[in-house]
Amino acid sequence: MTNITSSKRHRVPSVLSQHIRLKVSGRVQGVGFRPFVYQLATALDLKGTVCNTASGVTIHLLGTVESLTGFEEQLTSKAPVHARLHRIEKESLPLADYEAFRIIESQTSSELNPLASPEFQYNQISPDIGVCESCLAEFNDPHNRRYLDPFINCSDCGPRYTMMSRLPYERQNTAMNAFEPCSDCLQSYQNPLDRRYHTQGICCPQCGPKISLYSAEKTWMADGLEAIHKVAEVLKQGDLVAFKSVGGFHILCDATNDEAVAKLRQRKQRASKPLAVLCANVEMALKLGEISQHEQTLLSDHVKPIVLVNKKPQNSLSKHVAPDTHRLGLFLAYTPLQHLLFQEQEQEQEQEQEDEEEGREERDGGGREHDRIADQLARVELDEALPERGADEVRREDGPLGMYGHDAPLRTARAASARPAGRREAPRRRCRRGRGRSP
């Protein structure tokens, strides 16, 4: 949490107070900026409001000159890590009567639709942000109510660009509008001290989207964790699975299986184009490529870009993954759903090792059930309203390709793009970072 300096003092007569309005443009929506402004204003004993608008964030402040000066200084120096403040317009206003500082309803303008308008609006949209360490800690905690939640997110991470239909960034303008938050999530959403304060994508296993597995004929096969288990089994047999991720699908297969990779290339009609490898963590990536410290830092960036590295002479990948090149594209898992599949594959490997040590037959894990869909494309999709994340009114990204390995949990992919980071990008020549590139 940002360290905000408080300057509470004896109340100053109103004649020494000032009322100002700040209009902030840049990447200030979907990055925890309003909660940050609320905490900063409260710490400085300022009154007023903050709200999203179609062109950024508008802040009204009432307080002493000293407090207002401190606010403006800390607004830029201690802004959330994913925020980018491009312009701040300041205007003095007549004194007003505010009871406290509040986050108020967003202001919209009928003539502005930022997702289809000029570059200054386009570029204020936050890119999707890889799952943060705090959420991963909850995800892996059996005692946490969000344990193994494939859609866990907070103000510092999760889908942004791909689930938005328009600005301002409010829940009703996202694919999460169809999901009513439960009482626990609502309490977190309304608590200024909570990490999920005003997190528009807030949800939990009780109130959020669900996972379902369907065959190529759209026949239901499984829900929830059982669906993930069956996906791992299908991949183990050398078949393909369309795995819905942020902004599109990963087409998964066994990255160590030459026949599986060949099948993937045939289905995608890509004879030799290199495929990038999605790894669970940096340690896994180090087993596949010669990676410098700089490349490790780049791999761990919050947008999880594809990083081109030199192949290790000996690795477990199929020769068809990136033929005719000494380079390999790697990137790290960036959604909790991907981490969930990695964990399932790892658990199955551990179970198989135990079975072998005890002299038992290798666990079948329901593999026979999938014989009937061999050589067909199975499909993982989210039930009910979640497919709205890929609906016409919600932003879509190029569907990445993915693979899954036996020796180490891994998948290869031509990953989807991380969206614009800079304000001055021309709409017709977008510099797409990381997942927008194919190695």
Side-chain angles (χ1 to χ4, degrees):
M1 181 177 292
T2 304
N3 182 22
I4 295 173
T5 303
S6 175
S7 63
K8 292 197 173 192
R9 291 177 172 81
H10 295 294
R11 191 167 298 279
V12 181
S14 60
V15 293
L16 299 180
S17 296
Q18 289 188 356
H19 180 204
I20 64 172
R21 177 172 60 200
L22 302 177
K23 292 184 177 181
V24 187
S25 62
R27 190 197 298 169
V28 290
Q29 296 191 26
V31 292
F33 190 73
R34 287 181 300 169
F36 159 73
V37 168
Y38 173 90
Q39 294 169 3
L40 177 57
T42 302
L44 294 172
D45 199 23
L46 293 169
K47 298 178 180 181
T49 62
V50 60
C51 69
N52 284 338
T53 70
S55 58
V57 168
T58 296
I59 308 168
H60 284 262
L61 295 168
L62 178 67
T64 66
V65 174
E66 183 179 5
S67 294
L68 292 172
T69 300
F71 180 93
E72 293 181 60
E73 292 175 350
Q74 295 186 57
L75 184 69
T76 55
S77 65
K78 298 182 179 180
V81 63
H82 300 310
R84 300 290 184 271
L85 280 60
H86 297 308
R87 179 183 299 175
I88 302 177
E89 299 178 5
K90 180 180 176 181
E91 181 181 1
S92 295
L93 300 174
L95 292 180
D97 185 17
Y98 297 106
E99 294 183 357
F101 194 88
R102 298 186 300 122
I103 296 177
I104 63 174
E105 184 178 352
S106 296
Q107 298 176 0
T108 60
S109 179
S110 58
E111 70 272 12
L112 293 178
N113 183 359
L115 294 183
S117 54
E119 60 176 289
F120 81 94
Q121 294 173 6
Y122 179 90
N123 286 308
Q124 73 170 236
I125 303 170
S126 171
D128 298 329
I129 304 172
V131 58
C132 69
E133 293 300 322
S134 297
C135 282
L136 278 180
E138 294 177 340
F139 178 84
N140 292 310
D141 181 3
H143 303 292
N144 192 285
R145 73 186 190 90
R146 289 186 169 88
Y147 177 55
L148 299 183
D149 179 7
F151 307 105
I152 189 172
N153 70 98
C154 70
S155 62
D156 292 329
C157 70
R160 297 293 192 272
Y161 180 90
T162 55
M163 75 172 187
M164 294 173 61
S165 59
R166 62 175 60 245
L167 287 177
Y169 180 61
E170 298 288 356
R171 194 177 183 94
Q172 63 266 26
N173 294 331
T174 73
M176 292 300 294
N177 184 43
F179 298 92
E180 188 72 22
C182 65
S183 58
D184 289 334
C185 285
L186 192 60
Q187 182 178 3
S188 295
Y189 182 87
Q190 297 172 340
N191 182 2
L193 302 180
D194 196 285
R195 190 170 93 254
R196 294 183 174 88
Y197 181 50
H198 271 258
T199 296
Q200 304 306 318
I202 190 171
C203 64
C204 70
Q206 283 68 46
C207 64
K210 303 295 187 290
I211 305 171
S212 295
L213 174 66
Y214 295 86
S215 71
E217 297 86 3
K218 299 184 180 180
T219 302
W220 174 87
M221 297 174 62
D223 291 325
L225 295 180
E226 181 62 20
I228 298 299
H229 174 71
K230 290 182 181 294
V231 167
E233 287 296 327
V234 172
L235 297 174
K236 181 179 175 182
Q237 296 173 34
D239 289 323
L240 309 181
V241 175
F243 195 72
K244 191 165 188 178
S245 186
V246 174
F249 285 86
H250 289 85
I251 309 302
L252 308 183
C253 77
D254 180 357
T256 66
N257 186 324
D258 285 343
E259 293 183 1
V261 178
K263 184 186 300 184
L264 174 62
R265 290 195 174 280
Q266 180 183 16
R267 293 291 180 87
K268 298 300 295 182
Q269 298 182 1
R270 290 176 180 165
S272 60
K273 186 175 183 179
L275 304 172
V277 180
L278 177 58
C279 303
N281 47 45
V282 171
E283 291 72 24
M284 186 179 299
L286 289 171
K287 297 178 182 179
L288 304 175
E290 303 290 348
I291 305 176
S292 67
Q293 186 60 48
H294 172 73
E295 290 166 338
Q296 289 188 42
T297 301
L298 191 57
L299 275 170
S300 302
D301 186 85
H302 68 277
V303 298
K304 299 297 186 290
I306 292 174
V307 179
L308 292 178
V309 301
N310 291 326
K311 290 180 183 177
K312 278 197 169 181
Q314 302 294 329
N315 63 63
S316 59
L317 293 176
S318 165
K319 61 184 179 181
H320 300 307
V321 169
D324 305 322
T325 177
H326 69 287
R327 303 282 278 172
L328 187 64
L330 304 177
F331 70 112
L332 304 185
Y334 55 94
T335 72
L337 190 57
Q338 293 168 348
H339 283 279
L340 188 59
L341 186 54
F342 274 120
Q343 287 192 9
E344 175 63 31
Q345 198 268 355
E346 182 179 1
Q347 291 173 1
E348 287 202 357
Q349 288 182 345
E350 293 176 353
Q351 183 62 49
E352 288 175 1
Q353 292 175 359
E354 292 179 4
D355 290 348
E356 290 176 359
E357 291 173 359
E358 296 175 6
R360 297 195 301 265
E361 293 183 358
E362 190 171 351
R363 180 165 59 99
D364 177 68
R368 291 177 184 150
E369 181 179 350
H370 301 294
D371 289 343
R372 65 184 180 86
I373 62 167
D375 299 321
Q376 294 179 340
L377 192 64
R379 190 161 71 95
V380 171
E381 109 182 334
L382 310 177
D383 72 353
E384 296 186 358
L386 193 65
E388 290 178 6
R389 285 188 177 175
D392 292 340
E393 72 274 16
V394 179
R395 307 299 290 183
R396 302 192 68 173
E397 295 185 304
D398 295 337
L401 305 177
M403 299 181 182
Y404 213 67
H406 288 323
D407 294 340
L410 53 90
R411 280 160 283 172
T412 67
R414 185 172 70 84
S417 64
R419 293 299 172 174
R423 178 179 180 272
R424 298 188 180 275
E425 298 175 88
R428 294 184 180 179
R429 294 188 62 189
R430 296 171 188 161
C431 178
R432 295 190 175 186
R433 184 181 181 189
R435 293 197 290 274
R437 301 172 184 162
S438 295

